[in-house]
Amino acid sequence: GAVVSQHPSRVICKSGTSVKIECRSLDFQATTMFWYRQFPKQSLMLMATSNEGSKATYEQGVEKDKFLINHASLTLSTLTVTSAHPEDSSFYICSAHPGEYGYTFGSGTRLTVV
Amino acid sequence: QQQVKQSPQSLIVQKGGIPIINCAYENTAFDYFPWYQQFPGKGPALLIAIRPDVSEKKEGRFTISFNKSAKQFSLHIMDSQPGDSATYFCAASIEYNFNKFYFGSGTKLNVKP
């Protein structure tokens, strides 16, 4: 089946530094990938849609300069949390649509900013 | 405005019981309704999905019931097991436009041995 690989699974960084999270589609090409944020015991919130070869589309209220998205190839999208602060600590999840029905989600990245 | 409303927030059943999770939506343009299962620290995994042209779909112990006129759909887990303990999310989307994918608020299920 379609697999979306997300890396790293956990990251701890110091406040003010930047963190990059990778999302790869392993056995299919994804012109579009999606980035979600999930707070503890809450649902997934769509942050942005990553488009291969063009700019990402951000949801209302999501800071473009804070959450940089790059979709450099048909199998890789990256989310960079710039100048991270403790309030950016969260669970970040990417997903892609492999062409069959349904989205495939990555395993998520737990970001902790100290 | 929440596009998909899910209830209950949490659910406890005994092993072998049949937990039922309900979702309701407003947008009649939605035409794809999946359910996802999420374990702690993991991303959601697609469990089962239904389109509005059928009223019920079964896959193993999981069944979706769909009521188009009421704009409601539900997940039933037959013969529930402790390993089914997880958070379940319903979702809805317009399939021809995968740009938006709306999740319910989630239901934390605990199946007791």
Side-chain angles (χ1 to χ4, degrees):
Chain A
V3 176
V4 172
S5 174
Q6 193 171 336
H7 178 79
S9 58
R10 291 176 179 271
V11 58
I12 300 173
C13 71
K14 291 185 178 180
S15 186
T17 62
S18 295
V19 173
K20 180 182 286 187
I21 302 170
E22 292 187 349
C23 181
R24 295 181 184 272
S25 56
L26 294 188
D27 47 6
F28 66 98
Q29 294 182 334
T31 56
T32 302
M33 290 186 177
F34 304 89
W35 287 96
Y36 292 83
R37 183 173 182 176
Q38 187 178 31
F39 291 101
K41 299 182 180 180
Q42 294 190 25
S43 189
L44 287 78
M45 180 191 76
L46 179 64
M47 298 174 63
T49 302
S50 171
N51 303 298
E52 189 269 334
S54 64
K55 291 183 179 180
T57 304
Y58 290 83
E59 294 299 302
Q60 190 174 11
V62 178
E63 297 178 60
K64 300 178 182 181
D65 296 333
K66 160 68 77 174
F67 301 101
L68 299 180
I69 290 174
N70 184 279
H71 198 143
S73 74
L74 288 171
T75 59
L76 174 64
S77 174
T78 61
L79 168 69
T80 301
V81 183
T82 63
S83 186
H85 291 284
E87 58 266 29
D88 298 324
S89 298
S90 191
F91 193 53
Y92 294 89
I93 310 172
C94 67
S95 75
H97 184 246
E100 305 161 1
Y101 76 92
Y103 288 89
T104 297
F105 286 83
S107 55
T109 297
R110 172 73 61 195
L111 170 64
T112 303
V113 184
V114 297
Chain B
Q1 181 185 3
Q2 195 172 2
Q3 295 274 354
V4 180
K5 295 181 180 180
Q6 183 173 346
S7 63
Q9 189 174 15
S10 62
L11 192 53
I12 301 173
V13 299
Q14 292 294 131
K15 177 183 175 182
I18 305 176
I20 300 173
I21 305 171
N22 301 298
C23 284
Y25 64 97
E26 288 298 323
N27 189 346
T28 55
F30 288 146
D31 59 4
Y32 174 68
F33 304 90
W35 284 90
Y36 283 86
Q37 179 188 55
Q38 185 179 29
F39 293 102
K42 301 294 183 183
L46 178 64
L47 202 57
I48 187 173
I50 197 169
R51 291 185 173 86
D53 53 345
V54 297
S55 60
E56 185 177 275
K57 183 174 181 180
K58 291 183 180 181
E59 285 188 7
R61 295 185 292 108
F62 301 95
T63 299
I64 298 179
S65 296
F66 187 83
N67 186 329
K68 188 175 181 178
S69 61
K71 293 185 285 186
Q72 295 175 347
F73 58 110
S74 60
L75 175 70
H76 301 231
I77 305 176
M78 306 302 178
D79 187 28
S80 59
Q81 302 296 313
D84 296 329
S85 298
T87 299
Y88 293 82
F89 292 96
C90 62
S93 72
I94 302 170
E95 195 169 13
Y96 74 85
N97 178 14
F98 277 98
N99 194 42
K100 290 289 188 179
F101 199 50
Y102 298 93
F103 281 90
S105 53
T107 297
K108 186 173 183 180
L109 172 65
N110 183 7
V111 181
K112 293 193 169 184

